Amino acid sequence: MRICCIGAGYVGGPTMTVIASKCPDIRIDVVDLNAERIAAWNSDNLPVFEPLLESLVKSVRGVNLFFSTDIDSAIDAADIVFISVNTPTKTYGYGAGSASDLRFVESCARKIAEVSKSDKIVVEKSTMPVRTADVLKAILSEGSVKFQVLSNPEFLAEGTAIENLENPDRILIGGDEDTESGRRAIGVLSDIYARWVPRERILTTNLWSSELSKLTANAFLAQRISSINAISALCEATGADVDQVAKAVGSDSRIGPKFLKSSIGYGGSCFQKDLLNLVYLCEHFNLPKVADYWRKVVEMNSYQKHRFSRLVIDSLFRNICGKRLAIFGFAFKENTNDTRESPAIDICKDFLSENAKLAFYDPKVSKRQILSDLGLSDGDSRVEFCDSPYKAAEGAHAIVLLTHWDEFKTLDYGKIKATMVRPSWIFDGRNCLDTRLLLELGYLVRGIGKGNLL
Ligand code: NAD
Ligand code: UGA
């Protein structure tokens, strides 16, 4: 059997690496239009940072996993083609700002239809609006080759991708359950996953349930974060501690403890885009009240990011003009080099609009990426890039911790304080530092939802 995956991104690369490692008899070709990205997958400097990924890639690359730009022949040779390309929010025309931009998906379908000479299963791995499979079917049904379309959304989280892929909570496969060929296609894909995933965790549904479940899962996760972040504002006003509230609330087995960590807001390429897509779908199906409900989750996230910038500015005597702020972390979460929709972007833009000077340290994000995210050119005197957090903090009025990297928890904050301007502030946007110790060292400390520190 041969698999082709179109799209060598944060999903395509790690997902196919794990399938290749679990199925040594299947040849997998991961293809992409982006030659630079493919070259990086073939080098020692992978384009995606994920714990455990590098050694796993090395164990299968060139054996049964291949990265290439030769899209046409990889599609033609495959029995199963995964579409794992980006589905960003549309920025133009009808639905701009909320609908999904499906032009990359559509061009994959056209390419598959154009170059395929044998029957294939086509799998939606990208997150798609409900009923996208209809679009694929319409394009693929033009010729004599027969295609079966399946929906198999990905639930991995960045930073834990390999762990999630090797031991998933569930695998979801949607297909045409009503036809013999549809059931056969579902069976073929299920059998691949069943090599390492227990059968009871492989859920099969119709196409539309599968497509909608992916959007709904992300909406529920984002909603939990916005809910606890809303409560964090109330904690600050009342003297309650949001981490204590989250623990008490999450101890109820009906609610559960996960995804209740209050923060500067969620980031990442998907939560906002998928929520906006859900809002768009609800409006499209004339359900404005449902659309409003989910839109509020996005609004609360935006409020939380700007509320945090405001807390920093107000604490520093409402004046950060010319002041150096050490920015600890820029990735949207720990253990990834991804900065897409990172809350750090909006927060740092707020600081720059107040003419602050920013000194960045992130263990995995490049200077080039940060400059591009902030729309700055190299050499801008308002920003500096440091190779250690200690350097970033030298001469700073404040440390602003934006990403929960483990290394920030074990720094010598006594040593750091000696090099900072006084009073020295720490704004812990992830509530991950030892506040008591920092207060003992003489820092002024602010966290999220920590009323009793105010
Ligand atoms: P990405 O931007 O990292 O990768 C997509 C790749 O597709 C890019 O390298 C791009 O060059 C390539 N591409 C686009 N059009 C192409 C075409 N016509 N032919 C060949 N290559 C093409 O995106 P990603 O983060 O991997 O996400 C992919 C999809 O998976 C999205 O729909 C996303 O919502 C979903 N998803 C992402 C995550 C995540 O953690 N990033 C998790 C679950 C689901
Ligand atoms: C999320 C989902 O968790 C995945 O299941 C899904 O497959 C993926 O989106 C997707 O569709 O792209 P991801 O965005 O990679 O995964 O990472 P998460 O761990 O969900 O974190 C998202 C954001 O929420 C991060 O900025 C994180 O710091 C923040 N977060 C997370 C909180 O602020 N509090 C929490 O309790 C949890």
Side-chain angles (χ1 to χ4, degrees), residues 273-299:
K273 134 178 117 58
D274 293 347
L275 273 161
L276 291 173
N277 186 217
L278 197 60
V279 167
Y280 175 78
L281 285 168
C282 295
E283 281 168 348
H284 174 81
F285 290 107
N286 198 21
L287 299 166
K289 290 282 177 208
V290 186
D292 285 351
Y293 175 79
W294 289 110
R295 191 184 286 107
K296 288 286 173 211
V297 175
V298 182
E299 284 175 16

Side-chain angles (χ1 to χ4, degrees), residues 217-447:
N218 273 359
F220 274 45
L221 290 168
Q223 180 202 42
R224 276 174 77 96
I225 301 170
S226 278
S227 296
I228 197 69
N229 282 344
I231 296 301
S232 76
L234 194 56
C235 287
E236 286 164 30
T238 57
D241 177 326
V242 75
D243 287 329
Q244 292 178 348
V245 173
K247 185 160 187 207
V249 171
S251 299
D252 184 325
S253 61
R254 293 169 302 176
I255 297 173
K258 292 184 182 165
F259 264 69
L260 287 181
K261 184 72 185 162
S262 189
S263 66
I264 47 179
Y266 59 74
S269 63
C270 293
F271 278 173
Q272 174 161 307
K273 134 178 117 58
D274 293 347
L275 273 161
L276 291 173
N277 186 217
L278 197 60
V279 167
Y280 175 78
L281 285 168
C282 295
E283 281 168 348
H284 174 81
F285 290 107
N286 198 21
L287 299 166
K289 290 282 177 208
V290 186
D292 285 351
Y293 175 79
W294 289 110
R295 191 184 286 107
K296 288 286 173 211
V297 175
V298 182
E299 284 175 16
M300 181 52 62
N301 198 53
S302 175
Y303 168 72
Q304 185 76 351
K305 290 187 270 190
H306 296 298
R307 206 171 72 74
F308 182 73
S309 337
R310 193 64 199 266
L311 172 80
V312 174
I313 297 163
D314 286 354
S315 304
L316 293 171
F317 316 113
R318 294 185 191 83
N319 166 34
I320 57 170
C321 182
K323 288 182 180 169
R324 180 180 173 99
L325 308 182
I327 306 295
F328 280 16
F330 200 80
F332 83 95
K333 66 182 282 199
E334 66 280 16
N335 295 326
T336 176
N337 60 344
D338 196 348
T339 62
R340 290 176 293 177
E341 301 295 338
S342 176
I345 299 172
D346 283 348
I347 291 168
C348 290
K349 282 185 177 167
D350 285 348
F351 295 157
L352 288 170
S353 71
E354 292 285 331
N355 292 332
K357 290 194 176 292
L358 305 182
F360 293 95
Y361 170 75
D362 186 291
K364 291 291 172 197
V365 180
S366 67
K367 168 182 169 180
R368 190 174 91 161
Q369 188 61 50
I370 295 175
L371 286 171
S372 145
D373 287 338
L374 296 177
L376 302 176
S377 43
D378 200 0
D380 192 309
S381 63
R382 291 171 298 169
V383 290
E384 188 182 322
F385 298 89
C386 305
D387 55 15
S388 87
Y390 294 95
K391 286 238 177 65
E394 271 175 29
H397 287 253
I399 292 169
V400 185
L401 188 153
L402 299 180
T403 313
H404 191 162
W405 286 101
D406 263 352
E407 68 177 80
F408 295 146
K409 292 192 229 162
T410 52
L411 298 175
D412 182 344
Y413 282 98
K415 186 172 142 191
I416 287 178
K417 184 160 184 305
T419 70
M420 290 177 66
V421 173
R422 289 166 190 228
S424 317
W425 293 81
I426 292 194
F427 298 93
D428 180 0
R430 299 288 180 169
N431 287 349
C432 64
L433 300 179
D434 181 346
T435 306
R436 197 162 302 171
L437 173 76
L438 295 174
L439 289 169
E440 274 168 27
L441 288 171
Y443 283 100
L444 297 171
V445 186
R446 293 286 180 274

